[in-house]
Amino acid sequence: MPDQLPDTPRATITNIEVKAVLLLVLMVLLLCGSVAYVMYARGVFERTQQLVLMSDDSEGVIVGMDLTFSGFAIGRVRRIELADDGKVRIVIDLASKDAKWVRTSSIFTMERGLVGDTKLKVFSGILSDPPLPPNSVRSVLRGDIAAEIPKLVGTVQALVENLANMTRADSSLNTALADVQGMTKNLQGRYGAMGAVLGGDENAKQVIQLLDRINTILRKADQRVFGAKGVMDDAQEVLGGAKGVMRGAEGTIEQLNGILAEARTSLQKVDAVLVDAQAIAGNARVATADLGALRSQVEQSLRKVEDLVNEINRKWPLARDRELKLP
């Protein structure tokens, strides 16, 4: 028994070492599992495609920052580098399963608020456009609220100055209000809007008097033209007399046409006799007698024409002082 006593502590120590090794192995496994889970949760093992965003400034952008679409992270910043042209290259690992939300027409923005971190966002308005190819390079639109503060302050200062200018006693606004007040006072006068437009009640009164005079003149003119024994009645009487004269003139013209036809026949006879006279020079005495008879007939016809013309001039009042020249 005494020989076995020293072996007992050795076995105990050996058991403790084994347990310690097992504990260390378990801790290493737990640590590796935690790291693997974190890497899996961070999407390290997911299939990704590269996307490069170009910006003038990368202030606020850090490695590991998310790229969000509608509030959901679809990508992560892998590195930030400076390009040859002085711009900033933001390399993003875009998850392949979420790449369908990024299209060729998508817009990328970098928003910086007064409170909080910088945010990278993507907006896809037309999801029917073609998907964005891998390794694409796109520009980023920056929206820095802090940069807009000086501009906002300047705008507010200009607004305050304009407001001060508008409220001065000699400002255009006060002058316009005074004019409006004067017009309102004129509208409350006896002649209302007419007095306000014409510049006073006196001018409006003169205009009303002028309109009354015009109405009186129009009534008198209407009575003189369309009333009893007016111009229209006289015109109708004149037209009635003219119609009677026209009917008499029509009969006279018919008689004149018959006389002119007789004169034309007589002249044709004269022409025939003259031809005969030229053909037969020896029978001059007979031709002379015939010419005398025809001449008397022509003169008689012309006298009838002259009498008819005189009668027409007597009956036709609109054709006075006219003469019918006979050949």
Side-chain angles (χ1 to χ4, degrees), residues 202-235:
E202 293 296 329
N203 295 333
K205 183 177 180 181
Q206 293 178 3
V207 171
I208 293 175
Q209 292 177 355
L210 179 61
L211 292 176
D212 291 339
R213 292 178 184 175
I214 292 174
N215 290 330
T216 304
I217 293 172
L218 291 176
R219 284 195 298 271
K220 291 181 178 179
D222 182 68
Q223 184 178 2
R224 181 69 181 87
V225 175
F226 300 100
K229 301 298 181 181
V231 175
M232 292 299 296
D233 293 340
D234 295 339

Side-chain angles (χ1 to χ4, degrees), residues 269-292 294:
K269 291 180 180 180
V270 171
D271 292 336
V273 172
L274 290 175
V275 172
D276 294 338
Q278 292 177 358
I280 307 170
N283 198 7
R285 184 178 297 175
V286 177
T288 303
D290 293 337
L291 286 174
L294 290 174

Side-chain angles (χ1 to χ4, degrees), residues 78-157:
R78 185 173 65 183
R79 67 175 183 272
I80 303 172
E81 58 189 14
L82 194 63
D84 296 335
D85 56 356
K87 292 185 177 182
V88 177
R89 288 170 51 90
I90 304 174
V91 181
I92 296 177
D93 288 334
L94 187 64
S96 299
K97 65 182 182 66
D98 295 327
K100 60 183 179 179
W101 304 115
V102 183
R103 302 290 174 168
T104 55
S105 60
S106 299
I107 298 175
F108 299 87
T109 63
M110 181 190 302
E111 299 179 3
R112 297 174 183 170
L114 294 176
V115 179
D117 298 333
T118 303
K119 297 179 180 180
L120 291 175
K121 295 182 179 181
V122 57
F123 298 91
S124 299
I126 305 176
L127 295 177
S128 59
D129 288 344
L132 190 67
N135 300 320
S136 298
V137 179
R138 302 296 301 273
S139 299
V140 177
L141 299 179
R142 292 191 303 164
D144 192 352
I145 299 178
E148 297 294 330
I149 293 178
K151 183 178 179 181
L152 179 62
V153 172
T155 303
V156 173
Q157 185 177 1

Side-chain angles (χ1 to χ4, degrees), residues 149-206:
I149 293 178
K151 183 178 179 181
L152 179 62
V153 172
T155 303
V156 173
Q157 185 177 1
L159 180 62
V160 171
E161 291 178 357
N162 292 332
L163 184 61
N165 294 329
M166 291 172 62
T167 55
R168 289 203 312 265
D170 57 346
S171 64
S172 300
L173 179 61
N174 289 331
T175 304
L177 291 176
D179 294 339
V180 171
Q181 185 177 3
M183 182 175 291
T184 305
K185 184 177 179 181
N186 292 331
L187 288 174
Q188 295 175 355
R190 178 180 178 183
Y191 297 98
M194 183 178 290
V197 172
L198 297 177
D201 292 341
E202 293 296 329
N203 295 333
K205 183 177 180 181
Q206 293 178 3

